[in-house]
Amino acid sequence: NFGGRTLDGGMAKDCAPSPGECYMWIANSSGGVWMTRNALDTDNPATEANEGPRWEYVSHTFEHNAIGAIELDPNDPDQNTVWAGTGEFNACAVCEIGVGLYVTTSAKSKSNGTYGWQGPLGEKHFFGRGIGDIQVKPGDSDTIFVASGRAVRGGSNTAGGADALTPGAPHFGVWRSQNRGRTWELVNQGANALCTASTPHAVSLNQTACSAR
């Protein structure tokens, strides 16, 4: 809990600290995006008050709370541009698929009850999948890379069993946008060439060179 006090628990999938400041954003696997303005503060357990980080829930406008990745745009000198990817990249009985990406250019400011989030973006390519990583190209905020994975919506009634073949879900791999998320291109699936001639199901079932090994 970064030196603060908490009455609740959760699993944080990613974090984005703001360089030179005390802001930090956390991607919670099933609890949305949270922000603190005093991430480096520590709590004194001898006092009743909490002097540690104070966290704010900032993803009120998202379609759901499964967050797999978060990225602070390294090119924004004010550290106000934040990307969040939905859907948990892992396969587990309590995981949830995603709906796409969200982005804000006013991450530190609450206006009209929101933090300026736009999205979901890239629904055609990310709905039904989990986003495990987001990278904004240094020196070029227009170029964003996103790593998507199979993701799972729930599990079977046997321990460790899961259905990864989400009907109608798109291909997964590394996607690139060169226009701030308006359009996307699949650029890598883990092999020398893309496997889009095969179905996503075939890739999931380990039947292609791009299948997970």
Side-chain angles (χ1 to χ4, degrees):
N1 63 7
F2 296 96
R5 300 180 188 180
T6 178
L7 299 177
D8 303 294
M11 182 167 60
K13 299 297 297 180
D14 203 359
C15 67
S18 181
E21 295 184 313
C22 291
Y23 284 85
M24 179 180 284
W25 291 263
I26 292 292
N28 191 295
S29 60
S30 59
V33 178
W34 293 75
M35 178 186 71
T36 180
R37 304 173 190 270
N38 61 327
L40 298 180
D41 288 359
T42 56
D43 181 44
N44 180 0
T47 66
E48 182 177 351
N50 173 25
E51 299 92 356
R54 293 177 296 278
W55 294 93
E56 305 170 46
Y57 175 66
V58 298
S59 55
H60 307 77
T61 57
F62 286 24
E63 290 189 4
H64 70 81
N65 280 324
I67 312 298
I70 197 162
E71 168 75 349
L72 186 66
D73 186 342
N75 308 304
D76 182 353
D78 297 319
Q79 289 92 46
N80 252 320
T81 303
V82 175
W83 290 82
T86 62
E88 191 169 350
F89 199 77
N90 298 328
C92 65
V94 294
C95 295
E96 182 59 270
I97 59 175
V99 297
L101 290 153
Y102 287 84
V103 63
T104 177
T105 56
S106 56
K108 300 175 184 176
S109 304
K110 188 174 183 180
S111 176
N112 298 321
T114 74
Y115 287 84
W117 294 101
Q118 301 173 40
L121 307 175
E123 291 174 280
K124 177 181 177 181
H125 309 294
F126 303 120
F127 189 94
R129 297 303 186 195
I131 293 175
D133 196 16
I134 306 167
Q135 294 292 321
V136 178
K137 183 178 179 181
D140 179 9
S141 293
D142 289 342
T143 301
I144 304 105
F145 292 89
V146 169
S148 65
R150 292 184 303 181
V152 174
R153 187 167 197 175
S156 74
N157 59 0
T158 58
D163 175 17
L165 306 182
T166 306
H171 276 284
F172 51 90
V174 178
W175 293 80
R176 179 182 63 196
S177 174
Q178 294 179 291
N179 52 17
R180 290 183 182 250
R182 290 192 294 275
T183 60
W184 295 88
E185 175 189 9
L186 184 62
V187 294
N188 191 285
Q189 287 185 285
N192 291 332
L194 298 178
C195 295
T196 50
S198 301
T199 66
H201 282 14
V203 178
S204 293
L205 292 172
N206 202 29
Q207 298 172 353
T208 74
C210 298
S211 299
R213 296 178 292 282

